[in-house]
Amino acid sequence: MPKPKVLSTRALFPAARKILDADCDVEYMTGDVRPSREDVLRRVKDKEALVCLLTDKVNDELLRNAPKLRVVANVAVGFDNIDVPACTKRGVVATNTPGVLDETTADFAWTLMMAVARRIGEGEALARSGKWTGWDLDQLVGADVWGKTLGIVGFGRIGRAMARRASGFQMRVLYTDAQRVAEDVEQSLHAEFRDFDSLLAESDYVSVHVPLTPETHGMFSSPKFFRMKRTAFFINTSRGAVVDEAGLVAALEAGKIAGAGLDVYENEPFILPGLKRPNVVLAPHIASASLETRTKMACIAAENVTALFRGQRPPNMLNPEVLNGK
Ligand code: GLV
């Protein structure tokens, strides 16, 4: 029996390649330059599985072009790059990588929060510049994180990992979500539910942990930033499109909020020039980028593919109905 043909749009890590290569005939798109759309479309034509990144758009055009495709395995937890209903319509299983990146992503949201509050970008630039004249009483004074109020928008796995970190910093934790969580969960995380607007008004740090969906798209509209405290910071490690970026720039320019820590942008890799301000810490979408976590993500994607070809249900199906009755 020939092995099933798989396209991986990136080289992946050795541990993940080992899993895939044992069962499949895999074409890896390697190289420093991201593969072009045309190249992906050309190479996926005869493949039964696609291992892809969040930068690969899996839409009707791609699916139409790959009639043998049975599974699309995203190496990411967010899957707004995949048209899941279109996959379902064509009987293609779509999978993601939940669970393994929660703590690493929360670590990074915390990093951004600390960095912007304590002005680490400005401080590092000064320390390297050769212009530092020594300790001074009011030099680069920032804001405390400990003891403040953290507002978590989206109280899923990553939002809850944020709440756990907050207790070590003696913070008050507020959260908002489409649904209030069970009382015992609130109690164990010392988290209080607020509606979105109240959370914005009460928090010193607002950290976003929602997936990008039609409901969350643009939820941080311009007026929302004007509800925040002038001393508050906005942290985003979810997806750029949950934010009206022009509105965020306007709020920063008007001094309506104190600063922001951003890892994600609406049109990556483009970053609005207005966001490149001293009181904004900018990162290039690396919240889950520890070697341990990225390796696990790639391995999970590989296992989702091999499970299907072994006749099992892939562990992280986004459209389980595709295999119902099979
Ligand atoms: C990264 O942004 C992910 O969704 O895994």
Side-chain angles (χ1 to χ4, degrees):
M1 267 279 275
K3 289 178 172 178
K5 287 184 172 210
V6 177
L7 178 68
S8 172
T9 63
R10 277 333 242 159
L12 304 181
F13 294 101
R17 291 174 77 124
K18 203 167 155 197
I19 297 167
L20 274 179
D21 291 342
D23 289 14
C24 310
D25 173 9
V26 191
E27 179 177 342
Y28 295 96
M29 297 180 83
T30 56
D32 296 338
V33 184
R34 190 178 299 288
S36 70
R37 176 75 174 169
E38 293 68 39
D39 211 8
V40 173
L41 289 180
R42 189 163 51 79
R43 289 173 197 272
V44 78
K45 266 189 195 321
D46 61 338
K47 304 296 190 292
E48 288 176 68
L50 173 67
V51 178
C52 62
L53 306 190
L54 57 85
T55 46
D56 297 308
K57 222 175 180 39
V58 179
N59 54 9
D60 217 52
E61 177 197 35
L62 184 143
L63 295 167
R64 219 181 315 118
N65 197 60
K68 296 184 178 166
L69 210 55
R70 294 180 58 203
V71 55
V72 171
N74 213 29
V75 189
V77 66
F79 54 90
D80 45 282
N81 57 311
I82 299 181
D83 183 341
V84 179
C87 288
T88 308
K89 211 172 76 195
R90 290 173 189 269
V92 175
V93 171
T95 67
N96 68 341
T97 64
V100 290
L101 49 77
D102 308 336
E103 302 297 336
T104 302
T105 303
D107 276 357
F108 196 79
W110 212 270
T111 304
L112 288 178
M113 197 162 87
M114 299 292 287
V116 69
R118 299 302 303 275
R119 305 178 64 176
I120 195 67
E122 294 164 89
E124 215 231 9
L126 178 61
R128 285 176 189 261
S129 70
K131 294 186 186 141
W132 183 42
T133 52
W135 195 90
D136 210 347
L137 189 60
D138 60 354
Q139 191 170 66
L140 286 176
V141 290
D144 273 330
V145 172
W146 80 273
K148 296 286 181 68
T149 298
L150 171 63
I152 300 171
V153 179
F155 211 50
R157 289 179 305 261
I158 302 172
R160 294 178 204 194
M162 288 299 284
R164 283 195 297 277
R165 281 157 181 73
S167 69
F169 282 71
Q170 299 162 57
M171 295 177 91
R172 181 166 162 247
V173 178
L174 309 177
Y175 80 93
T176 194
D177 206 319
Q179 264 169 359
R180 199 170 163 167
V181 302
E183 218 176 302
D184 60 322
V185 177
E186 285 185 358
Q187 276 168 7
S188 70
L189 294 169
H190 308 288
E192 298 166 39
F193 180 80
R194 289 288 185 280
D195 63 60
F196 188 26
D197 283 350
S198 307
L199 177 136
L200 294 175
E202 285 182 56
S203 300
D204 299 304
Y205 297 89
V206 173
S207 190
V208 192
H209 302 284
V210 291
L212 177 61
T213 64
E215 290 72 39
T216 63
H217 192 279
M219 70 185 283
F220 282 89
S221 59
S222 185
K224 296 295 178 195
F225 293 109
F226 285 74
R227 289 186 185 279
M228 288 171 62
K229 297 181 187 178
R230 281 179 172 269
T231 50
F233 296 89
F234 175 73
I235 311 297
N236 190 8
T237 51
S238 69
R239 285 290 184 269
V242 303
V243 176
D244 168 2
E245 290 181 336
L248 173 56
V249 170
L252 287 160
E253 270 170 4
K256 296 288 181 191
I257 64 171
L262 306 174
D263 186 44
V264 286
Y265 310 90
E266 181 163 15
N267 297 306
E268 295 175 9
F270 173 73
I271 299 180
L272 267 190
L275 291 172
K276 296 177 183 171
R277 312 166 58 85
N279 59 341
V280 180
V281 172
L282 300 168
H285 204 153
I286 53 170
S288 65
S290 70
L291 180 59
E292 297 93 324
T293 290
R294 286 284 168 91
T295 302
K296 280 185 208 153
M297 289 164 66
C299 288
I300 288 180
E303 280 157 7
N304 278 315
V305 169
T306 53
L308 186 86
F309 291 134
R310 287 180 182 184
Q312 299 155 2
R313 291 178 80 81
N316 308 109
M317 283 194 285
L318 298 166
N319 50 358
E321 62 274 26
V322 169
L323 294 186
N324 283 355
K326 291 202 176 156

